[in-house]
C-alpha cells in the first residue's frame, strides 16, 4: 500500500485546504443491486466463472503460457499495459475495501464486498502474467509510474474515503469507460501477438467488470433521482476523473484508444444528463 500511495499527491485534484463535496442518498431504497446477488448466489456464480476460466486457460499451450511465442519487442512495449492491469487491480483491492468499510447503507456495502472479491481474483491473474513473462518485480512499479499510465487516476482514488465518490469515479466513470469494448480490444490485440494468457484474462475480466459498471450506473441513477442537484457534483467527479485519465492518451499517440474510451463512457453517462468533458 505504501508503494501505491507514494507520490499520491500528484494525483490530487482538489485545491489545498478545500473539503471535498460529499453527496448522500437520502432514500437508500432507491438503490438496489441490479444483479440481485446474495452470498450464496455470488459463490455459485464465481464457481462457474472459475470453472470456465480454468477450462479456457487449459487450452493454452505451454510455450504460449511461458510467453515463448511473443517477440521481445512485444514484451518491451507491453510492460506498461501489464502494469496498468496489475496496479489498477491492486489499487481496487484497497479503494473498494474503503468503499465497503465506509458504505452508508447495507445494499451498497454488499455490492462493494462482492466486487472486492472479484478484484482480488483479477489481481492474481495479472500477477501471473508478469511472472510468466519473467519481468523482474523491481521493474513493475516503475513501469506504472512512467508517463502515460493510469497511475495518477488510481492514486487519486486511493486518497478518497467517501464510498459514493469512490464508486462513482471507480465504477461508473473508470470501468464504464474501460468497459467491455476496451477489454475486447486488449484481448484481441494480445492474442494476435501471441499473448494468449493476457487475452484469456481480459475476456474473463469482462464478465465481472460488466457487473461493476451495472451497479455503478444504478448508484448514479439513484443519486440523481434522489436529488437532481447531485448531478452537478457527479459532473465534477466525471471531469476530474477524465482529466486524470487523459494522460493515458499520451498527447494523441493513443488517439484511437482514447476516442473509444470516451465513447464507451459517454454511452452510459449522457443519458444520465451528464455533459461531455472533452
Amino acid at each position: 500500500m505504501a508503494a501505491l500511495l507514494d507520490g499520491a499527491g500528484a494525483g490530487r485534484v482538489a485545491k489545498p485546504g478545500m473539503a471535498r463535496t460529499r453527496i448522500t442518498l437520502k432514500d437508500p431504497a432507491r438503490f438496489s443491486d441490479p444483479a440481485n446477488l446474495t452470498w450464496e448466489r455470488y459463490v455459485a456464480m464465481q464457481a462457474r466463472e472459475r470453472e470456465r476460466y480454468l477450462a479456457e486457460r487449459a487450452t493454452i499451450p505451454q510455450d504460449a503460457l511461458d510467453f515463448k511465442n511473443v517477440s521481445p519487442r512485444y514484451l518491451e512495449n507491453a510492460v506498461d499495459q501489464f502494469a496498468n492491469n496489475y496496479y489498477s487491480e491492486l489499487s481496487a483491492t484497497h479503494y473498494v475495501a474503503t468503499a465497503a468499510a465506509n458504505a452508508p447503507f447495507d445494499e451498497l456495502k454488499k455490492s462493494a464486498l462482492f466486487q472486492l472479491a472479484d478484484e482480488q481474483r483479477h489481481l492474481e491473474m495479472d500477477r501471473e502474467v508478469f511472472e510468466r513473462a519473467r519481468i523482474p518485480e523491481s521493474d513493475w512499479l516503475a513501469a506504472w509510474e512512467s508517463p502515460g499510465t493510469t497511475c495518477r487516476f488510481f492514486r487519486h482514488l486511493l486518497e478518497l474515503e467517501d464510498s459514493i465518490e469512490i464508486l462513482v469515479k471507480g465504477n461508473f466513470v473508470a470501468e464504464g469507460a474501460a468497459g467491455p469494448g476496451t477489454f475486447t480490444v486488449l484481448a484481441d490485440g494480445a492474442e494476435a501477438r501471441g499473448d494468449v494468457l493476457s487475452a484469456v484474462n481480459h475476456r474473463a475480466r469482462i464478465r465481472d467488470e460488466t457487473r461493476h459498471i451495472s451497479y455503478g450506473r444504478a448508484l448514479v441513477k439513484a443519486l440523481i433521482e434522489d436529488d437532481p442537484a447531485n448531478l452537478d457534483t457527479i459532473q465534477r467527479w466525471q471531469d476530474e476523473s477524465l482529466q486524470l485519465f487523459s494522460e493515458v492518451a499520451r498527447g494523441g499517440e493513443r488517439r484511437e484508444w482514447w476516442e473509444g474510451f470516451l465513447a464507451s463512457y459517454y454511452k452510459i453517462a449522457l443519458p444520465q444528463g451528464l455533459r461531455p468533458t472533452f
Side-chain angles (χ1 to χ4, degrees):
M1 183 63 170
L4 284 175
L5 283 172
D6 186 31
R12 194 164 292 141
V13 293
K15 293 181 180 179
M18 289 184 63
R20 299 203 60 81
T21 301
R22 294 196 177 206
I23 56 179
T24 59
L25 187 61
K26 294 187 286 290
D27 181 7
R30 290 182 182 274
F31 173 82
S32 62
D33 171 21
N36 194 30
L37 289 177
T38 62
W39 178 248
E40 184 176 355
R41 289 173 184 162
Y42 177 79
V43 170
M45 178 188 70
Q46 286 299 4
R48 292 192 300 271
E49 287 294 321
R50 178 166 177 75
E51 184 177 352
R52 181 191 302 185
Y53 172 73
L54 291 176
E56 292 172 352
R57 190 180 177 285
T59 66
I60 304 174
Q62 190 63 45
D63 281 356
L65 268 179
D66 293 336
F67 283 81
K68 293 181 179 178
N69 296 338
V70 302
S71 69
R73 181 175 177 79
Y74 170 77
L75 278 183
E76 181 182 342
N77 293 335
V79 169
D80 67 340
Q81 183 60 57
F82 294 167
N84 277 332
N85 297 340
Y86 177 77
Y87 283 103
S88 65
E89 299 293 358
L90 179 57
S91 299
T93 62
H94 291 280
Y95 68 72
V96 176
T98 299
N102 297 340
F105 49 93
D106 288 344
E107 185 74 358
L108 191 63
K109 179 187 290 288
K110 181 191 72 172
S111 295
L113 286 171
F114 291 149
Q115 180 180 353
L116 180 59
D118 295 339
E119 306 294 7
Q120 180 63 37
R121 186 167 61 88
H122 300 167
L123 174 65
E124 293 173 7
M125 289 159 48
D126 291 328
R127 184 177 185 88
E128 184 187 17
V129 169
F130 260 136
E131 291 173 343
R132 286 191 172 274
R134 297 179 299 282
I135 297 167
E137 189 165 355
S138 58
D139 294 347
W140 300 0
L141 185 60
W144 190 53
E145 291 177 328
S146 63
T149 71
T150 59
C151 180
R152 287 189 69 223
F153 171 76
F154 284 105
R155 280 185 166 159
H156 167 64
L157 282 190
L158 289 166
E159 293 181 317
L160 303 178
E161 296 182 355
D162 176 55
S163 300
I164 290 178
E165 183 175 2
I166 289 170
L167 295 173
V168 169
K169 288 181 171 180
N171 288 27
F172 182 70
V173 181
E175 294 199 24
T182 297
F183 285 117
T184 298
V185 169
L186 289 173
D188 292 347
E191 189 168 44
R193 292 163 178 80
D195 181 1
V196 187
L197 180 59
S198 289
V200 169
N201 286 355
H202 285 313
R203 290 174 184 136
R205 196 191 319 265
I206 288 171
R207 296 184 280 270
D208 291 331
E209 304 292 357
T210 300
R211 188 161 31 82
H212 305 164
I213 296 166
S214 181
Y215 93 79
R217 291 174 68 180
L219 177 60
V220 167
K221 183 174 184 290
L223 288 165
I224 295 170
E225 289 177 347
D226 194 58
D227 183 352
N230 287 336
L231 184 63
D232 290 338
T233 300
I234 295 170
Q235 178 73 49
R236 186 160 60 253
W237 291 348
Q238 168 193 294
D239 294 344
E240 291 172 353
S241 300
L242 293 181
Q243 286 287 350
L244 290 170
F245 258 115
S246 68
E247 297 180 8
V248 187
R250 292 185 174 177
E253 181 183 334
R254 293 175 170 171
R255 181 177 177 181
E256 184 177 355
W257 172 86
W258 178 237
E259 289 178 351
F261 184 87
L262 291 177
S264 178
Y265 173 65
Y266 289 148
K267 187 175 181 180
I268 65 171
L270 300 187
Q272 302 289 348
L274 292 157
R275 304 180 306 278
T277 300
F278 293 95

